[in-house]
């Protein structure tokens, strides 16, 4: 049976439609994917993201942990977040994640279902059990949208204006201690907050009472797709590297990390497929695995596709041959035996706020 | 139970058919619309196309999935509901009236007896 987060009953109360995602039974929508998507872009929405992994590593292993992560963690200052990946020796992505530095430890948030994989990878490479999975100790919400700060300040009775992007701080949440960060997966201003389940459930109820729209995985996907953010199961499947995925910004080349040599070799050879954005002339949503064409020639494959509620068009992320990866290039995506016209864009599809 | 109109016939694949002389108006049922969820796109057939019973004539994309619409009868497509290309809410909100999808000039009247009655369709929904 699939896992349920501590907020499962709350989702049922709100009439959520459920789906299974990475071993978790999660809400896919409550009122409707497009409605929830627009609420996040125009106002504020809340997501239960308790299914994400949470892994703790003591700070004394900073050096070793840094050698497993594409970002340099040496000399990490507390209350900062870093986005990066852990790679295999061949440069392929194991998972992408955010690593929080807080006093005494690193808190790693990998994708749902990958907590054990990441903890094992760390422990195997260090030769001892230093990584501890604490996924079920904490629940987590994402509050996203232009009105996120206003509603969170009201409920928490705390000034959040000085909490900068990709910073976190400790706060008191209904008698428990939690960590709040200015971060998210939607491209809007917003926060992610972790705390013991009891306090997160109280926060959820308070947010819903304040009129914040509950949003499910359906809107989570359409929102991140409009931003061009990768979804690990799609953009990294098949052994893709951060170079192919256009995620060099998530690499600090000034430190050693597993997979670094393979990436440098790939960069020097240059002949690799690149992740691009494609916007179609039509509304038809492309899907993972659909073929990308230049005339009659197949030049790539869709890794993520869907419908953009803001652009009212089908959009996709796709890996294409380098010679056809320029912005503005006219390409087609084969949908049901017909090649639909579109063009390559550099994500985000929708301006970040 | 979702609405099933008494004034028309049905198919197992959730299309409805309303016959006026030898012209059949075809759409999808309220049940089908509910199953699809949020509609984002429809690929309509071309007017003038000859189709066989059971042939795929249209596709409706929802956010998460795509569903085919099959012709309940053989004949020639004589009209399509172009308004749906602009506004799919006509389909989601009025599947039996404003949300009709295409009209067909029926070629073989004997196929009509193979369609489901409202009662027979309701039974399928109950299963």
């Amino acid at each position: 049976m699939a896992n349920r987060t501590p907020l499962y009953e709350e989702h049922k109360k709100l009439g959520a439609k459920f789906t299974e995602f990475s071993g978790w039974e999660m809400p896919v929508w409550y009122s409707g994917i497009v409605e929830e998507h627009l609420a996040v872009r125009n106002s504020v929405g809340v997501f239960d993201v308790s299914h994400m992994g949470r892994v703790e590593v003591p700070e004394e292993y900073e050096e070793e942990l840094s050698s497993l992560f594409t970002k340099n963690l040496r000399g990490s200052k507390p209350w900062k977040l870093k986005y990066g990946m852990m790679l295999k020796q061949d440069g392929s992505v194991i998972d992408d994640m955010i690593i929080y530095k807080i006093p005494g430890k690193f808190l790693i948030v990998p994708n749902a279902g990958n907590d054990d994989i990441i903890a094992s990878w760390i422990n195997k490479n260090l030769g001892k059990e230093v990584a501890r999975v604490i996924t079920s100790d904490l629940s987590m919400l994402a509050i996203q949208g232009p009105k996120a700060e206003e509603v969170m300040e009201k409920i928490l009775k705390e000034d959040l204006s000085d909490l900068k992007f990709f910073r976190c701080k400790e706060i008191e949440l209904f008698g428990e201690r939690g960590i709040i960060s200015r971060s998210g997966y939607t491209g809007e201003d917003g926060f992610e907050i972790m705390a013991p389940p009891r306090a997160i459930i109280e926060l959820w109820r308070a947010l819903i009472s304040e009129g914040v729209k509950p949003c499910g995985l359906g809107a989570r996907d359409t929102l991140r797709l409009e931003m061009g953010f990768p979804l690990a199961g799609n953009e990294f499947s098949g052994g893709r590297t951060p170079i192919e995925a256009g995620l060099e910004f998530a690499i600090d080349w000034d430190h050693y990390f597993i997979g670094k040599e393979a990436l440098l070799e790939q960069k020097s050879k240059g002949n690799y497929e690149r992740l691009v954005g494609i916007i179609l002339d039509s509304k038809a949503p492309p899907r993972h695995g659909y073929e990308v064409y230049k005339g009659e020639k197949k030049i790539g494959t869709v890794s993520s596709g869907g419908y953009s509620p803001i652009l009212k068009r089908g959009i996709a992320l796709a890996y294409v041959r380098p010679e056809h990866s320029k912005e503005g290039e006219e390409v087609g995506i084969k949908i049901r035996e017909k090649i639909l016209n579109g063009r390559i864009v550099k994500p985000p599809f929708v301006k970040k706020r | 139970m979702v609405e099933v109109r008494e004034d028309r016939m049905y198919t197992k694949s959730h299309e409805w058919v309303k016959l006026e002389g030898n012209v059949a108006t075809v759409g999808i049922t309220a049940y089908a619309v509910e199953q699809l969820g949020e509609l984002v796109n429809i690929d309509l057939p071309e007017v003038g196309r000859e189709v066989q019973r059971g042939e795929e004539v249209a596709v409706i994309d929802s956010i998460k999935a795509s569903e085919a619409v099959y012709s309940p009868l053989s004949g020639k497509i004589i009209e399509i509901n172009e308004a749906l290309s602009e506004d799919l809410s006509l389909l989601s909100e009025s599947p039996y009236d404003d949300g009709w999808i295409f009209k067909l000039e029926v070629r073989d009247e004997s196929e009509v007896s193979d369609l489901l009655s409202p009662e027979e369709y309701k039974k399928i929904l109950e299963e």
Side-chain angles (χ1 to χ4, degrees):
Chain A
M1 199 192 85
N3 289 323
R4 290 175 175 170
T5 76
L7 284 96
Y8 179 78
E9 290 301 325
E10 302 301 311
H11 303 318
K12 267 186 82 170
K13 256 191 255 171
L14 293 169
K17 180 153 154 80
F18 289 91
T19 191
E20 197 182 306
F21 180 78
S22 296
W24 292 81
E25 196 178 348
M26 298 296 290
V28 63
W29 77 70
Y30 302 79
S31 55
I33 295 174
V34 171
E35 198 180 307
E36 292 163 25
H37 180 112
L38 295 174
V40 170
R41 292 266 177 256
N42 299 323
S43 175
V44 55
V46 59
F47 300 81
D48 174 13
V49 291
S50 309
H51 62 318
M52 303 282 285
R54 285 165 287 278
V55 177
E56 209 173 64
V57 174
E59 73 181 352
E60 72 212 68
Y61 300 104
E62 180 180 277
E63 185 87 29
E64 293 93 325
L65 191 61
S66 193
S67 72
L68 303 177
F69 195 53
T70 54
K71 283 258 168 76
N72 192 348
L73 294 171
R74 283 136 79 213
S76 284
K77 300 220 174 5
W79 311 118
K80 284 190 181 175
L81 277 62
K82 288 196 173 171
Y83 169 76
M85 289 147 281
M86 291 194 182
L87 314 176
K88 291 195 196 151
Q89 284 290 1
D90 66 359
S92 62
V93 180
I94 299 173
D95 202 16
D96 65 339
M97 62 202 69
I98 291 185
I99 297 189
Y100 294 61
K101 178 72 182 56
I102 58 182
K105 57 183 119 174
F106 291 94
L107 182 48
I108 304 169
V109 182
N111 285 292
N114 286 343
D115 46 6
D116 289 329
I117 292 171
I118 292 302
S120 300
W121 178 250
I122 294 169
N123 293 334
K124 185 182 94 151
N125 278 286
L126 269 66
K128 52 185 165 178
E129 305 276 308
V130 307
R132 203 166 68 93
V133 173
I134 57 164
T135 299
S136 48
D137 294 357
L138 302 170
S139 293
M140 189 167 173
L141 301 182
I143 301 94
Q144 304 280 304
K147 294 200 161 67
E149 185 179 276
E150 187 187 311
V151 72
M152 285 295 276
E153 284 187 338
K154 181 174 181 192
I155 292 172
L156 298 177
K157 298 187 188 15
E158 173 112 7
D159 181 11
L160 294 172
S161 59
D162 59 351
L163 182 62
K164 290 196 177 10
F165 187 65
F166 259 49
R167 300 281 202 270
C168 62
K169 70 178 181 183
E170 203 168 45
I171 48 151
E172 187 173 312
L173 186 69
F174 301 108
E176 305 275 6
R177 273 155 75 215
I179 296 187
I180 184 169
S181 57
R182 194 163 215 125
S183 54
Y185 193 43
T186 62
E188 300 301 320
D189 184 32
F191 305 90
E192 291 174 305
I193 182 165
M194 290 183 258
R198 190 192 65 74
I200 290 292
I201 290 170
E202 290 251 18
L203 177 60
W204 173 273
R205 289 177 183 164
L207 287 161
I208 301 297
S209 299
E210 281 295 324
V212 175
K213 200 149 197 74
C215 301
L217 293 186
R220 187 163 161 84
D221 189 39
T222 51
L223 286 159
R224 68 96 191 169
L225 186 61
E226 277 183 349
M227 288 298 124
F229 295 161
L231 174 61
N234 286 357
E235 276 62 59
F236 304 142
S237 70
R240 295 291 178 181
T241 71
I243 304 298
E244 292 165 17
L247 296 172
E248 267 201 68
F249 70 87
I251 298 172
D252 288 328
W253 294 106
D254 64 351
H255 79 297
Y256 168 74
F257 56 91
I258 293 183
K260 182 181 182 183
E261 263 174 60
L263 297 188
L264 289 171
E265 206 189 309
Q266 183 175 50
K267 264 173 73 98
S268 73
K269 285 207 188 123
N271 187 30
Y272 49 89
E273 287 187 335
R274 281 157 177 73
L275 189 67
V276 297
I278 297 175
I279 176 168
L280 292 179
D281 295 341
S282 119
K283 291 179 183 166
R287 315 248 186 232
H288 176 84
Y290 283 16
E291 296 172 338
V292 183
Y293 284 80
K294 181 77 182 173
E296 307 270 292
K297 194 174 76 161
K298 178 180 164 182
I299 58 165
T301 314
V302 172
S303 52
S304 286
Y307 174 75
S308 161
I310 297 288
L311 301 173
K312 297 196 170 68
R313 292 276 172 276
I315 59 173
L317 292 174
Y319 283 98
V320 302
R321 295 296 316 151
E323 59 272 19
H324 296 293
S325 61
K326 290 259 161 349
E327 198 172 348
E329 173 125 19
E330 291 188 1
V331 296
I333 297 180
K334 193 186 239 183
I335 300 184
R336 297 187 284 273
E337 305 313 309
K338 220 170 89 165
I339 296 179
L340 299 187
N341 293 327
R343 67 177 196 282
I344 291 183
V345 297
K346 191 169 139 78
F349 295 89
V350 167
K351 285 277 159 290
K352 239 177 263 207
R353 319 307 215 207
Chain B
M1 150 89 82
V2 282
E3 188 192 2
V4 175
R5 290 272 177 92
E6 295 298 321
D7 63 351
R8 57 198 72 192
M9 311 282 277
Y10 295 86
T11 66
K12 282 206 180 92
S13 46
H14 310 288
E15 288 90 14
W16 57 258
V17 188
K18 205 160 173 225
L19 270 167
E20 274 141 338
N22 74 333
V23 174
T25 304
V26 181
I28 61 171
T29 67
Y31 174 80
V33 165
E34 195 178 76
Q35 290 303 300
L36 275 167
E38 283 154 288
L39 308 182
V40 301
N41 181 61
I42 186 167
D43 286 349
L44 291 166
E46 266 171 44
V47 171
R49 181 172 150 197
E50 297 274 356
V51 298
Q52 299 290 344
R53 171 173 63 176
E55 202 180 307
E56 183 183 297
V57 292
V59 180
I60 300 172
D61 293 305
S62 72
I63 288 253
K64 282 286 152 199
S66 302
E67 283 299 327
V69 179
Y70 303 97
S71 189
L73 302 164
S74 308
K76 184 163 82 175
I77 294 180
I78 55 171
E79 207 181 325
I80 57 176
N81 189 355
E82 305 250 23
L84 293 180
S85 300
E86 286 310 301
D87 187 3
L88 270 169
S89 71
L90 291 171
L91 176 47
S92 42
E93 280 158 31
S94 177
Y96 292 115
D97 300 303
D98 295 332
W100 65 274
I101 299 174
F102 65 96
K103 290 188 198 212
L104 189 70
E105 197 177 76
V106 176
R107 201 188 318 120
D108 183 353
E109 299 271 346
S110 70
E111 288 177 344
V112 175
S113 56
D114 293 328
L115 295 171
L116 303 172
S117 68
E119 296 317 307
E120 289 170 327
Y121 181 63
K122 277 185 204 164
K123 276 225 174 64
I124 289 184
L125 294 187
E126 272 154 26
E127 274 156 27

